[in-house]
Amino acid sequence: MKICRFNGGRLGVLHEGRVHDVSQLLERLPAQRYPLPQKDLLIEALPQLREALAQALPGAQHHAPEAVAFDAPVANPGKIIGAPINYQDHVAESKADAGIAHGRTITSIGDWGLFLKAGSALIGCGEPIVLRFPDRRNDHEVELGVVIGSECRQVARADAMAHVAGYTVALDMTVRGTEFQSFRKSIDTYAVLGPWMVTADEIDDPDQLDLWLSVNGQMRQQSNTRHMVYDVARLIEYASSFYTLQAGDVIMTGTPQGVGPVVPGDRIRAGVAQVGEFEIQVAPQYAGAATA
Ligand code: MN
């Protein structure tokens, strides 16, 4: 099942190529009182909602995907986890390009560990990426996004995949520089997920998926998740050895070679086979600080 959020908080299911509006099922989520849990209630409840979602389809209003603005398929990830240098060919290009490494010695993901992207950086593909520092190098990184479905900590590799709710297409936008990754990759709009989440049962093998990214129609990145250094199960095992993972946590699994800069006005297309594809605009210019 392909589950999406659209038009400012509507809940949708992709069915026969159309976005079916099943927003009424959001009312089945448990009512909340402060303090709010650090997890995503919809993702956590999906196993219980599956049947009702399917039953709601025949009577649902539906829209062409082109006619809706997609929100991030996960509204409230407690964590967005990033996997650095997780494709061998990207390790090589990072060593060769001083504009990527910025003086750091490129070693391995086992040496570097993971990083976190701020929740405030999250957007769906229906809104533009806004370059905060257009005078610096701002790179695209297409990645397979893994959405955690249930709580786990120190999970064994053999049990890891049981904790996956689904997969989405992720863009780990990055301003290059000397600052730490979590700082540079957490700018507002620099974490894109979309267009929907496909549930794990529909993916044969997440470690055998083509992924690609083009800018203004020119192919920049083309690879397959089989080239990941740490595969999906290992990333879950690794992340959960440090963090408790919660429903709705997202792991951006790393990017293959071909990262490169975008500039205001560019159009990015990013896709993962069996998962989906989206187009997103880089805003023509940064509007400046809000006068709040
Ligand atoms: Mn990345």
Side-chain angles (χ1 to χ4, degrees), residues 82-85 90 115 117 141-143 172-174 185 252-255:
I85 48 175
H90 177 59
F115 61 88
K117 289 170 77 83
E141 297 188 353
V142 65
E143 314 199 353
D172 174 20
M173 294 300 298
T174 301
K185 291 169 172 277
M252 293 192 179
T253 56
T255 200

Side-chain angles (χ1 to χ4, degrees), residues 4 15 21 23 35 49 62 181-182 201 220 229:
C4 67
H15 179 63
D21 190 330
S23 300
L49 288 179
H62 49 83
Q181 282 153 323
S182 290
D201 57 290
R220 295 266 192 97
V229 177

